[in-house]
């Protein structure tokens, strides 16, 4: 089978354009410039699946599709599912995983998606830039800090990043270029590549301090053969007109009302029966006002923006895809409909916007050339610079200049206009990026704020969900919000809701495992907030409205397995007893299988297998053994690695409240290998296998010290003794632990822990070090999964 045959078996049933064939049959490029309506998404998905099926060595196992808006994610998800089905049927490609990273998505057991437990399998990850880029900076929004290194590793190794609609990505554009530059400098544990694409893209926008693009500017990547085949799209008639409306004062209440009424009247006047009319507004508030001003006209009315819950958004998108009724349809929209969404119109009205945004909006009119000789009409509304938000006051100058020269805005009419660079946000520098590898909070308990590298400063979201609350706080064991429940809201809007009298809202603190009341000053990007349904703030027809006062309807559960908000992939959740010796053997076996599946080098294989064998040595420590006392029945002898627990089990008091067995394991490894420099990497991988002991070694703020004044950290005390311990196929002799490594400088144990870890970061770079760290953790997770699946004690 050739690629053309595979592509035509896909969801649209059409032959590919020549540029789509070229993408599948040549090496991955750096940039792709294709006008709207020419199938960029299908080109990427089909090409990646085709190359994966052919075991192309230059194609990473994970396709990371990063998008600036949730609406684009959901449409891309639908396309990906259909292309995966086509690859299964036509190419016999099995086990392609698909995961959506927008928050609130269902996970497998232990809170982990299948692609994470099986990194050798091909997978498509589709998400918003908030979640994907924050995770790629090791500060993943909505993810336990202890899982940050694994997400970082799998997104920065063996991954093909696709940044689509780059003109809308804001600060992420520079961050994506810097990350590609860092990967090329520090090298990765497995092949990684980035492809940026849009209808308006100049590769020079990607130039940063650490990355220089190889591609040069060109208007588009379509060949003469592409244009000949799609002449009806390329020359589609879209007449351009100015819509003269009084637009002064639209930012004020009275001015907004009169402006919305005028826009609604214009839309009704221009609308054609049996066709769709789309009206683009630059803000959600103006879109909601125009929608209200339409009243109960005979035409179908739809309001589309990004501030809806998924269930309501799905309903709207389904109606958009339904045939237009005989009387016609008017769609009031914001940027949520601007790019990527497969919808068309005969009449389009838009507020002036940055030129790249206008080009995208023009692409939602006569998109398929369906208006024929009658053609379509596009009307644009000029706005004063003082009402430019969410854009900057100077962003409209280029658009006004270009619009003044045009009488039509089809693809052929726009091809000669060179796009200007979108605003550039903060640029993450090398030192800042390397500092993020340390996932410990600072001494004040705070983390580095990476939001300025992900979104523009005034373009940050939180996510809200509504449930009724009986009592002062939500229940501690409440399930995490599902994807259907979550509604994105701007920080300013969320603060306006929270400060209203009588509004009740809470956030979950995973470290303390408690709910805290959210106050106006507490809100930060990526936060998930529970709002009492009686507090209002949402309407299914208009979406998030901070001033809405009605009781919010609860989104019904869909019968999926519920995950607690404090779900930790490393939490003690075993249902069987497993001895330390048997678990060590299982982890050794899983590490070996994982290394073989990934084709690791002999040295890499040796490292992760060695770390997997030793990773739980610290569970022989008396402080850990005492925790297993209730499971030591019927002659069972310690040490145990796993033992049954129940959800209602009350925490027991222990002599070492903050004890971390992985620190004891790493110290024991170093003792038994003479503290040599060659032992530093295995010791680090052992210590980091829960994500809680990594770059620094220090006591916790509330950790009680030993009464005799000796060194202590994470429940381990200087001079602690580990008994002789079997780790599967070998026995570790009795070992005395030494915490001199905590102290700065060189001591009896050689370099300090911090000196060793910083040397490892310098030698291996952040990507390869995290890659090895993640593989050891995954081997441990898989060993635990296999033990649970066996369903019986293994002693």
């Amino acid at each position: 089978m050739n690629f053309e045959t595979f592509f035509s078996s896909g969801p649209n049933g059409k032959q590919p354009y020549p540029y789509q064939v070229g993408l599948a049959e040549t090496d991955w490029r750096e940039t792709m410039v294709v006008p709207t309506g020419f199938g960029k998404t299908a080109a990427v998905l089909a090409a990646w699946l085709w190359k994966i099926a052919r075991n192309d060595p230059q194609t990473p196992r994970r396709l990371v599709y990063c998008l600036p808006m949730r609406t684009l994610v959901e449409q891309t998800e639908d396309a990906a599912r259909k292309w995966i089905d086509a690859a299964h049927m036509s190419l016999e490609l099995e086990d392609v995983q698909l995961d959506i990273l927008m928050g609130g998505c269902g996970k497998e057991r232990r809170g982990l998606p299948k692609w994470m437990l099986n990194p050798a399998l091909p997978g498509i990850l589709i998400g918003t830039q908030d979640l994907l880029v924050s995770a790629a900076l090791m500060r993943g929004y909505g993810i336990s800090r202890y899982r940050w290194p694994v997400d970082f590793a799998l997104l920065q190794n063996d991954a093909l990043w696709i940044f689509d609609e780059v003109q809308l990505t804001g600060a992420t554009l520079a961050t994506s270029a810097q990350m590609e530059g860092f990967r090329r400098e520090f090298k990765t544990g497995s092949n990684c590549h980035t492809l940026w694409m849009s209808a308006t893209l100049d590769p020079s926008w990607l130039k940063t301090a650490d990355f220089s693009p190889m591609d040069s500017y060109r208007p588009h990547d379509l060949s003469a053969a592409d244009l000949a085949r799609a002449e009806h799209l390329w020359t589609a008639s879209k007449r351009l007109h100015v819509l003269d409306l009084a637009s002064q004062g639209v930012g004020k209440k009275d001015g907004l009302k009169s402006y919305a009424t005028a826009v609604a009247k214009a839309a009704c006047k221009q609308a054609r029966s049996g066709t769709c009319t789309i009206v683009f507004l630059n803000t959600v508030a103006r879109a909601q006002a125009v929608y209200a001003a339409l009243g109960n006209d005979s035409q179908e009315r739809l309001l589309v923006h990004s501030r809806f819950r998924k269930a309501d958004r799905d309903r709207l998108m389904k109606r958009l895809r339904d045939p237009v009724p005989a009387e016609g349809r008017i769609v009031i929209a914001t940027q949520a409909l601007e790019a990527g969404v497969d919808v068309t119109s005969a009449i389009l009205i838009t507020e002036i916007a940055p030129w790249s945004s206008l080009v995208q909006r023009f692409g939602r009119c006569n998109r398929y050339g369906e208006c024929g000789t009658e053609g379509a009409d596009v009307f644009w509304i000029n706005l004063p610079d003082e009402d430019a938000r969410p854009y900057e006051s100077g962003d409209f100058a280029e658009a006004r200049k270009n619009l003044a020269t045009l009488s039509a805005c089809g693809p052929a009419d726009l091809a000669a206009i060179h796009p200007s660079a979108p605003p550039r946000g903060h640029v993450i520098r090398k030192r800042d990026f390397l500092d993020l590898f340390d996932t410990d909070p600072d001494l004040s308990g705070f983390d580095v704020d990476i939001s300025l590298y992900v979104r523009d400063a005034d373009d940050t979201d939180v996510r809200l969900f509504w449930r009724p609350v009986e009592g002062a706080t939500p229940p501690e064991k409440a399930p995490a919000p599902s994807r259907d429940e979550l509604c994105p809201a701007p920080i300013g809007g969320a603060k306006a809701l929270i400060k209203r009298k009588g509004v009740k809202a809470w956030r979950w603190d995973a470290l303390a495992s408690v709910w805290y009341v959210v106050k106006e000053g507490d809100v930060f990007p990526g936060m998930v907030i529970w709002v009492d349904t009686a507090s209002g703030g949402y309407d299914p027809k208009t979406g998030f409205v901070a001033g809405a006062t009605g009781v919010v309807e609860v989104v019904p559960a869909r019968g999926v397995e519920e995950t607690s908000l404090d779900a930790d992939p490393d939490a003690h959740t075993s249902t069987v007893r497993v001895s330390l010796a048997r678990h060590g053997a299982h982890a050794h076996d899983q590490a070996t299988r994982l290394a073989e599946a990934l084709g690791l080098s002999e040295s890499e294989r040796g490292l992760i297998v060695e770390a997997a064998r030793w990773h739980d040595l610290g569970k022989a420590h008396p402080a850990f053994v005492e925790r297993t006392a209730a499971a030591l029945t019927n002659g069972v002898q310690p040490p145990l690695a796993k033992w049954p627990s129940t959800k209602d089990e009350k925490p027991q008091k222990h002599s070492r409240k903050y004890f971390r067995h992985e620190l004891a394991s790493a110290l024991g490894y170093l003792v038994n290998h003479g503290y040599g420099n060659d032992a530093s990497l295995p010791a680090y991988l052992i210590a980091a296998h829960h994500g809680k002991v990594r770059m620094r070694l220090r006591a916790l703020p509330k950790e009680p010290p030993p009464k005799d004044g000796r060194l202590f950290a994470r429940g381990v005390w200087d001079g602690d003794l580990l008994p002789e311990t079997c780790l599967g196929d070998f026995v570790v002799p009795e070992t005395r632990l030494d915490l001199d490594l905590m102290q700065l400088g060189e001591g009896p144990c050689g370099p300090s822990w911090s000196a060793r870890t910083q040397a490892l970061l310098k030698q291996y770079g952040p990507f390869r070090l995290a890659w090895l760290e993640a593989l050891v953790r995954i081997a441990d997770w898989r060993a635990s999964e296999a033990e649970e699946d066996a369903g019986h004690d293994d002693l």
Side-chain angles (χ1 to χ4, degrees):
M1 176 182 291
N2 59 24
F3 178 75
E4 288 89 339
T5 303
F6 164 58
F7 193 94
S8 62
S9 73
N12 60 18
K14 298 178 180 178
Q15 284 289 316
Y17 288 112
Y19 91 87
Q20 293 171 324
V21 177
L23 190 65
E25 295 184 346
T26 58
D27 291 341
W28 290 105
R29 60 184 68 175
E30 194 173 73
T31 59
M32 187 165 71
V33 186
V34 177
T36 57
F38 280 78
K40 297 191 302 295
T41 302
V44 169
L45 291 170
W48 180 81
L49 288 163
W50 174 255
K51 292 182 177 186
I52 286 291
R54 295 167 66 88
N55 296 313
D56 175 33
Q58 299 304 313
T59 296
R61 289 182 176 90
R62 282 174 293 284
L63 176 65
V64 183
Y65 213 116
C66 186
L67 294 153
M69 295 184 291
R70 294 173 67 97
T71 49
L72 301 182
V73 172
E74 288 159 353
Q75 178 160 305
T76 306
E77 174 190 5
D78 182 61
R81 291 191 189 281
K82 292 175 180 176
W83 276 108
I84 289 172
D85 289 342
H88 175 70
M89 296 296 293
S90 300
L91 304 177
E92 299 182 353
L93 187 58
E94 305 284 349
D95 294 323
V96 178
Q97 307 302 308
L98 176 63
D99 196 14
I100 309 304
L101 287 83
M102 294 198 301
C105 300
K107 301 295 181 188
E108 305 295 326
R109 287 179 301 169
R110 305 176 70 82
L112 296 169
K114 192 173 181 180
W115 61 267
M116 186 170 284
L117 285 170
N118 297 275
L121 295 178
I124 300 176
L125 316 180
I126 307 171
T128 56
Q129 64 190 53
D130 303 71
L131 292 193
L132 284 172
V133 176
S134 65
L137 294 175
M138 211 180 280
R139 291 296 184 277
Y141 294 161
I143 300 171
S144 165
R145 73 166 57 249
Y146 308 122
R147 213 188 83 181
W148 285 347
V150 181
D151 291 71
F152 173 86
L154 297 183
L155 290 173
Q156 298 282 19
N157 294 275
D158 213 355
L160 171 63
W161 279 80
I162 307 296
F163 288 94
D164 198 0
E165 309 299 353
V166 297
Q167 76 284 351
L168 301 177
T169 57
T172 281
L173 183 59
T175 301
S176 65
Q178 283 291 86
M179 288 196 300
E180 180 65 20
F182 296 151
R183 287 192 292 265
R184 293 181 184 183
E185 177 180 350
F186 293 118
K187 310 304 179 187
T188 57
S190 191
N191 183 32
C192 211
H193 185 74
T194 303
L195 169 63
W196 293 270
M197 61 186 196
S198 177
T200 54
L201 169 62
D202 183 341
S204 67
W205 301 347
L206 301 172
K207 184 171 178 55
T208 60
D210 296 279
F211 178 73
S212 295
M214 294 180 289
D215 289 355
S216 56
Y217 174 73
R218 67 276 186 198
H220 56 76
D221 287 330
L222 301 181
S223 65
D226 289 310
L227 296 177
R229 182 177 155 201
E231 184 179 4
H232 63 295
L233 300 180
W234 185 249
T235 61
S237 173
K238 305 179 189 184
R239 295 176 292 271
L240 186 63
H241 318 271
V242 178
L243 185 58
D244 190 13
L245 294 180
S247 56
Q248 294 292 333
V250 297
K252 300 178 180 179
K253 187 174 181 180
D254 292 340
L256 174 60
K257 185 175 181 180
S258 60
Y259 173 74
T261 300
V263 174
K265 286 182 178 179
C268 293
K269 177 181 178 182
Q270 296 297 334
R272 303 177 189 175
S273 60
T275 67
C276 180
T277 297
I278 297 178
V279 182
F280 277 106
L281 289 307
N282 292 345
T283 70
V284 173
R286 288 207 289 273
Q288 290 170 331
V290 172
Y291 177 77
L294 282 174
N296 295 316
D297 190 84
S298 60
Q299 291 198 334
E300 180 184 36
R301 299 177 304 142
L302 297 178
L303 173 63
V304 180
H305 57 73
S306 61
R307 310 303 184 191
F308 282 101
R309 295 188 295 199
K310 183 179 183 300
D312 296 319
R313 197 163 52 247
D314 287 348
R315 171 182 53 81
L316 286 168
M317 299 312 291
K318 181 180 182 301
R319 290 180 66 184
L320 268 178
R321 290 190 292 267
D322 288 341
V324 178
E327 63 272 17
R329 173 185 293 154
I330 297 179
V331 179
I332 307 300
T334 63
Q335 295 87 338
L337 204 66
E338 182 176 294
V341 181
D342 201 5
V343 64
T344 188
S345 62
I347 300 294
L348 188 141
I349 300 173
T350 178
E351 293 182 328
I352 192 170
W355 179 246
S356 59
S357 293
L358 287 179
V359 172
Q360 296 292 335
R361 296 178 187 187
F362 297 157
R364 311 306 128 192
C365 182
N366 199 8
R367 183 174 178 83
Y368 316 110
E370 73 277 4
C371 294
T373 55
E374 183 181 3
D377 292 284
V378 175
F379 299 85
W380 67 277
I381 303 168
N382 201 6
L383 292 175
D385 285 347
E386 58 264 28
D387 292 314
R389 291 185 66 84
Y391 307 112
E392 297 296 327
S393 59
D395 288 349
F396 297 161
E398 179 196 16
R400 291 191 183 104
K401 178 181 176 181
N402 291 337
L403 289 167
T405 67
L406 296 171
S407 60
C409 55
D413 303 304
L414 304 178
I417 298 177
H418 190 296
S420 62
R424 170 167 291 189
H426 290 79
V427 178
I428 187 168
R429 302 306 294 264
K430 189 186 305 180
R431 183 68 261 168
D432 300 320
F433 183 76
L434 291 173
D435 285 346
L436 291 172
F437 196 83
D438 186 349
T439 52
D440 277 352
D442 61 27
L443 293 175
S444 59
F446 293 100
D447 288 301
V448 176
D449 179 14
I450 52 96
S451 63
L452 68 167
Y453 305 127
V454 178
R455 287 277 185 187
D456 293 334
D458 59 350
D459 186 19
T460 48
D461 275 359
V462 298
R463 288 168 290 157
L464 311 178
F465 67 100
W466 286 262
R467 291 179 187 168
V469 176
E470 297 178 3
T473 60
E476 286 186 9
K477 297 296 183 181
S482 71
R483 182 176 162 196
D484 288 349
E485 291 180 274
L486 292 170
C487 175
I491 280 185
K495 289 181 177 179
L497 170 63
I498 289 167
K499 74 178 181 180
R500 273 180 33 212
K501 185 177 180 180
V503 169
K504 299 178 181 179
W506 302 266
R507 66 175 178 87
W508 178 251
D509 187 317
L511 291 177
S513 293
V514 295
W515 289 100
Y516 285 121
V517 172
V518 176
K519 299 179 181 179
E520 182 184 355
D522 298 335
V523 184
F524 58 81
M527 178 182 278
V528 177
I529 301 173
W530 179 327
V531 182
D532 186 8
T533 52
S535 296
Y538 186 84
D539 181 274
K541 291 184 178 179
T542 56
F544 171 76
V545 181
T549 57
V551 175
V552 179
E553 183 178 348
V554 177
V555 173
R558 294 201 298 175
V560 298
E561 181 181 351
E562 293 181 342
T563 303
S564 173
L565 278 153
D566 61 351
D568 183 343
D570 297 306
H572 175 60
T573 56
S574 181
T575 60
V576 296
R577 293 182 295 185
V578 183
S579 71
L580 179 55
R582 297 299 299 149
H583 180 66
H586 298 157
H588 173 280
D589 180 55
Q590 288 294 338
T592 301
R593 294 183 185 183
L594 187 59
E596 291 175 353
L598 291 169
L600 300 186
S601 67
E602 285 300 319
S603 61
E604 291 172 328
R605 181 188 310 231
L607 279 167
I608 69 165
V609 169
E610 176 82 345
R613 294 171 77 196
W614 284 78
H615 78 287
D616 272 353
L617 170 65
K619 289 184 176 180
H621 192 289
F624 191 90
V625 170
E626 71 173 331
R627 301 183 182 187
T628 69
L632 299 176
T633 59
N634 300 324
V636 173
Q637 296 296 312
L640 294 179
K642 309 287 180 182
W643 69 98
S645 62
T646 64
K647 290 183 178 180
D648 298 325
E649 182 180 350
K650 293 183 179 180
Q652 301 178 35
K653 291 185 177 180
H654 306 294
S655 59
R656 305 279 183 90
K657 181 179 179 181
Y658 296 99
F659 178 77
R660 293 309 312 174
H661 70 273
E662 62 269 33
L663 173 56
S665 301
L667 293 174
Y669 184 87
L670 286 170
V671 172
N672 283 280
H673 289 81
Y675 296 102
N677 289 333
D678 290 345
S680 293
L681 180 54
Y684 171 79
L685 300 179
I686 292 165
H689 83 266
H690 284 295
K692 299 181 179 182
V693 181
R694 298 183 67 248
M695 301 298 288
R696 285 181 278 174
L697 189 52
R698 65 187 185 189
L700 295 177
K702 296 182 180 180
E703 185 174 351
K707 293 181 179 180
D708 58 10
R710 52 181 154 159
L711 294 171
F712 68 101
R714 301 299 184 106
V716 177
W717 296 356
D718 189 46
D720 280 350
L721 195 66
L722 297 181
E724 181 179 87
T725 305
C726 179
L727 293 181
D729 59 350
F730 71 105
V731 175
V732 180
E734 183 179 75
T735 303
R736 188 170 298 280
L737 306 182
D738 194 329
L739 276 173
D740 180 72
L741 289 164
M742 288 181 63
Q743 306 193 83
L744 297 177
E746 190 127 354
C749 301
S752 68
W753 182 261
S754 294
R756 290 173 185 266
T757 56
Q758 287 298 325
L760 291 173
L761 183 60
K762 183 177 181 180
Q763 179 181 354
Y764 290 92
F767 309 116
R768 288 186 291 169
L769 187 56
W771 176 240
L772 295 171
E773 178 180 344
L775 296 182
V776 173
R777 292 187 71 180
I778 292 168
D780 184 29
W781 289 337
R782 287 169 52 149
S784 298
E785 292 290 305
E787 290 159 357
E788 292 296 306
D789 290 341
H792 58 76
D793 291 350
D794 191 354
L795 304 169

